[in-house]
Amino acid sequence: MTLHRPLDTAVGFSTRQLHAGARPGTTVNPRVTPIYMTAGFVIDDFDHAGDIFNGAEGYSYTRVANPTAEAVERTVAHLENGAEALLVGSGQAAVAVTLLGLLQAGDHLLSASSLYEGTRGFLIDNLSRYGITTDFVDDANSPEAWERAILPSTRALFAESIPNPKNDVFDIEAIAEVAHRHGIPLIIDSTLATPYLLRPLDFGADIVIHSASKFLAGHGAALGGVIVDNGLFDVERSGDLFLHLTTRDRHGNPSFAERSGGLARIAYLREVMALRFGPTPSPINAFLINQGIETLSLRVERQSQNALGVARWLEQQPEVHSVDYSGLESNPFHPLALKYLPRGQGSVFSFTLRGGLDAARDFVNALETFTHMTHLGDVRSLILHPGTTSHNARTDDELSQSGIWPGTLRLSIGIEDLADLLTDLERGLAATRTVVA
Ligand SMILES: *Cc1c(COP(=O)(O)O)cnc(C)c1O
């Protein structure tokens, strides 16, 4: 029995320290979704407990559901034009939960080869330990290339909408068609695009993943990951390929497809993957992500404008060999950017200095406004040398295939004044000139 009434002063100190201040169940109405920093929730009465464990509405334990996390889930599902979303502890957790929730030992994943390094490593080194194999498609915008690589055991296609550092915009619509011909989902990691610039589900993707640590939270303070499903799981078409969604459990309970229909996939992720694997986000992080999303459009609009300004400026500098930004008319992916990213082409891109590794080092060390760190999507502008950091496990061949050379630097452009960013970059270029002389 929870103590709701004021405590009697005769109550012992230990009891008072636990119960004197708390008012569980008090109805207040805060405008901002509060941080529900609690492991669990008070159950109304004896019978309600049984109902909750049988799947009735109501909160029980934060690993199952938490109101602060649910606010993020509702918002991102809505912004992505999706049916339902799940918030987990990081972007990596979102990738892992999605893939482990769809594939099992013996299954095959087909992925674009232009990928976030953490995901690429996970597919090659870790998922393989569970008997799930991955092949990579280099020519990622060719439907024929995907078609040729699909095996009878292929259970999903995976790609990023804007891979970094090459900015090789992915043709979602063309490849979604290939996936659907085989009754399997197309999963898009859309972290760099954000739902403000692109909604992959509108173009036929089935599941969208975000690292909420980047643009959604936006201020570099919290980690999180979101999975959004379109709610269109089709038992007729795909039921035989995903037996864990369509067969009854060992107690004979209705299958996920029987209970949740088109929402079978996301129901499985929430009720099995989140519950059993435990990638639970902290309610504090969920709160910070909620706050961040409130200004997503303003930040991403400004970041995209700034990025285009920086890219155009860099393209004109004699020390710069190339700029990989799909917003530039000169970029091979510009036509796809016009189709998929008409509101702006995002904040993250790379450029390559003619002076190679030494120039890159002098450039980075001279900067004052840009922050040197391995993160992106921050309100602050960031810079990193992928070849010696995030991508240091790659061979020279793999690096050049990904558009990474010794002089390549990755930028994540923030919301500072453009003129100040250009002044800082000019400082970097000046440092490379001093060294050459
Ligand atoms: C950062 C990132 C991830 C991983 O997200 P974390 O929140 O850092 O775990 C996955 N995919 C992409 C494209 C990313 O940029």
Side-chain angles (χ1 to χ4, degrees), residues 112-386:
S113 56
S114 205
L115 270 191
Y116 176 72
E117 275 305 281
T119 303
R120 183 171 175 271
F122 174 67
L123 302 184
I124 297 173
D125 302 323
N126 310 117
L127 215 45
S128 56
R129 276 191 59 233
Y130 304 99
I132 300 166
T133 53
T134 305
D135 280 314
F136 293 93
V137 176
D138 292 336
D139 193 2
N141 286 336
S142 156
E144 296 76 28
W146 289 85
E147 190 65 61
R148 270 196 303 276
I150 289 181
L151 305 174
S153 57
T154 306
R155 289 294 175 271
L157 307 186
F158 188 96
E160 293 175 8
S161 48
I162 309 179
N164 98 79
K166 208 177 174 185
N167 251 250
D168 35 349
V169 179
F170 181 68
D171 195 345
I172 298 168
E173 202 164 38
I175 310 308
E177 212 178 298
V178 178
H180 297 160
R181 213 176 294 143
H182 292 267
I184 58 178
L186 172 64
I187 305 165
I188 297 290
D189 180 336
S190 203
T191 297
L192 267 65
T194 83
Y196 176 67
L197 297 179
L198 170 66
R199 285 163 303 282
L201 303 182
D202 291 354
F203 290 98
D206 299 278
I207 296 172
V208 175
I209 289 173
H210 287 282
S211 165
S213 327
K214 313 292 170 54
F215 293 93
L216 297 183
H219 299 75
L223 297 197
V226 192
I227 305 151
V228 187
D229 192 287
N230 64 2
L232 299 176
F233 178 72
D234 183 346
V235 188
E236 295 293 307
R237 182 109 184 73
S238 314
D240 293 347
L241 302 176
F242 299 95
L243 292 177
H244 63 299
L245 301 180
T246 54
T247 42
R248 297 189 161 205
D249 69 11
R250 60 191 153 87
H251 306 294
N253 291 315
S255 72
F256 283 88
E258 285 173 291
R259 280 199 290 119
S260 304
L263 291 165
R265 283 184 304 235
I266 191 80
Y268 186 87
L269 295 189
R270 179 183 300 285
E271 295 171 32
V272 176
M273 299 306 294
L275 192 70
R276 293 275 167 79
F277 287 72
T280 317
S282 163
I284 291 185
N285 287 352
F287 176 85
L288 291 168
I289 295 164
N290 273 322
Q291 291 253 293
I293 293 172
E294 292 182 348
T295 56
L296 180 68
S297 61
L298 305 178
R299 288 183 283 106
V300 173
E301 186 177 41
R302 172 69 168 263
Q303 285 166 318
S304 290
Q305 281 166 5
N306 274 354
L308 184 59
V310 168
R312 286 199 169 128
W313 184 84
L314 283 170
E315 199 176 33
Q316 287 161 12
Q317 306 309 311
E319 295 87 352
V320 173
H321 172 264
S322 54
V323 182
D324 286 317
Y325 187 59
S326 73
L328 294 173
E329 289 77 5
S330 59
N331 187 277
F333 296 92
H334 190 62
L336 279 175
L338 292 179
K339 169 175 176 173
Y340 288 106
L341 305 162
R343 279 175 152 171
Q345 295 75 46
S347 130
V348 179
F349 66 96
S350 63
F351 69 99
T352 300
L353 291 165
R354 292 185 195 282
L357 186 64
D358 288 337
R361 179 184 296 110
D362 294 324
F363 188 94
V364 168
N365 285 338
L367 297 185
E368 294 173 14
T369 306
F370 278 77
T371 305
H372 184 204
M373 70 184 282
T374 171
H375 184 52
L376 44 87
D378 198 298
V379 281
R380 287 153 284 255
S381 291
L382 316 174
I383 187 164
L384 191 73
H385 184 257

